[in-house]
Amino acid sequence: MNAAKRLEIFTRFRAANPKPLTELEYASPFELLIAVLLSAQATDVSVNKATRRLYPVANTPAAMLALGVDELMGYIQTIGLFRTKAKNVIATCRILLERHGGEVPRTREALEALPGVGRKTANVVMNTAFGAPTMAVDTHIFRVANRTGIAPGKNVDIVEQKLLKFVPREFLLDAHHWLILHGRYTCVARKPHCWNCMIAELCDYKDKEPTPAVV
């Protein structure tokens, strides 16, 4: 993979989807933070189903804290690891109120100090809520970066650093969303849909899937 190919790849992504968005539903940085926290080892679809019920009742740190762990669990029990997540959400709300005036902090250090918030979650919030050119490497991005050759690496930290280095700066703000969507719907885990891929001839993957036979 060379710079010219990477430029063409992201040029095509942008042409196909000029303003990519997260599939998590949110209306404020706080709602996004909670949705991303809940999305660990869960699908965006399952999180959205839960937050559609939760946010009309509690969509601020104070309102969420007032629910308490037990009542919050009732809203998110369809999501994996809901007990642990409920405890983390309530603890996070308390910290937001006590240390940040009820606002979601904009720095990585402050975000990662919140219970249940790791580097990936912090990167998503910084990028999506505050427009920072960060790269949150989830399983989809890790797979796409390695399979295509855009930014191969043995772990998520290496892939993140390579993406920040190799993705042309003009595309960096939206690259996170394009790569996730590409991994979720085209460059899927078991059998990538290479026959329906807009970057197939630019990709370094050796075992490209042929067009399925018509029966």
Side-chain angles (χ1 to χ4, degrees):
M1 181 67 64
N2 56 40
K5 283 186 176 181
R6 291 189 186 96
L7 177 62
E8 179 61 22
I9 285 171
F10 286 99
T11 297
R12 292 185 186 185
F13 282 155
R14 183 172 62 187
N17 187 3
K19 295 186 181 298
L21 301 171
T22 177
E23 293 186 323
L24 290 171
E25 297 172 359
Y26 71 99
S28 69
F30 175 72
E31 288 188 4
L32 176 65
L33 171 64
I34 299 305
V36 179
L37 198 156
L38 294 176
S39 71
Q41 299 182 46
T43 65
D44 288 359
V45 171
S46 68
V47 172
N48 289 337
K49 285 181 179 178
T51 57
R52 284 172 197 157
R53 294 176 57 241
L54 173 62
Y55 288 160
V57 176
N59 67 345
T60 66
M64 197 83 69
L65 183 61
L67 284 181
V69 173
D70 290 341
E71 192 170 350
L72 176 58
M73 284 196 293
Y75 287 97
I76 66 171
Q77 61 186 345
T78 55
I79 300 173
L81 306 175
F82 70 93
R83 291 181 178 85
T84 298
K85 290 176 180 178
K87 293 176 183 177
N88 285 336
V89 167
I90 294 302
T92 286
C93 290
R94 184 174 290 109
I95 292 173
L96 291 178
L97 289 166
E98 292 176 352
R99 302 180 189 175
H100 303 288
E103 299 295 324
V104 176
R106 293 172 175 258
T107 67
R108 181 185 305 284
E109 294 75 16
L111 285 166
E112 291 186 13
L114 299 172
V117 176
R119 185 176 183 86
K120 184 183 75 173
T121 297
N123 278 336
V124 172
V125 173
M126 291 169 65
N127 176 272
T128 305
F130 302 128
T134 58
M135 190 66 61
V137 180
D138 68 351
T139 55
H140 296 300
I141 292 183
F142 185 78
R143 178 176 65 254
V144 171
N146 276 284
R147 184 184 275 164
T148 62
I150 291 173
K154 293 182 179 180
N155 59 56
V156 294
D157 291 333
I158 293 174
V159 169
E160 178 184 338
Q161 294 307 312
K162 284 191 173 182
L163 285 169
L164 290 172
K165 178 181 179 181
F166 292 144
V167 174
R169 184 161 296 277
E170 65 180 294
F171 302 108
L172 201 51
L173 181 62
D174 294 319
H176 157 81
H177 295 301
W178 287 322
L179 292 171
I180 284 179
L181 293 171
H182 192 65
R184 187 172 288 166
Y185 298 111
T186 302
C187 197
V188 297
R190 289 192 175 181
K191 289 187 177 181
H193 304 162
C194 302
W195 67 89
N196 192 36
C197 176
M198 70 179 75
I199 64 167
E201 78 277 17
L202 302 167
C203 168
D204 289 346
Y205 186 49
K206 303 298 182 185
D207 303 313
K208 291 186 173 68
E209 290 291 326
T211 302
V214 177
V215 178

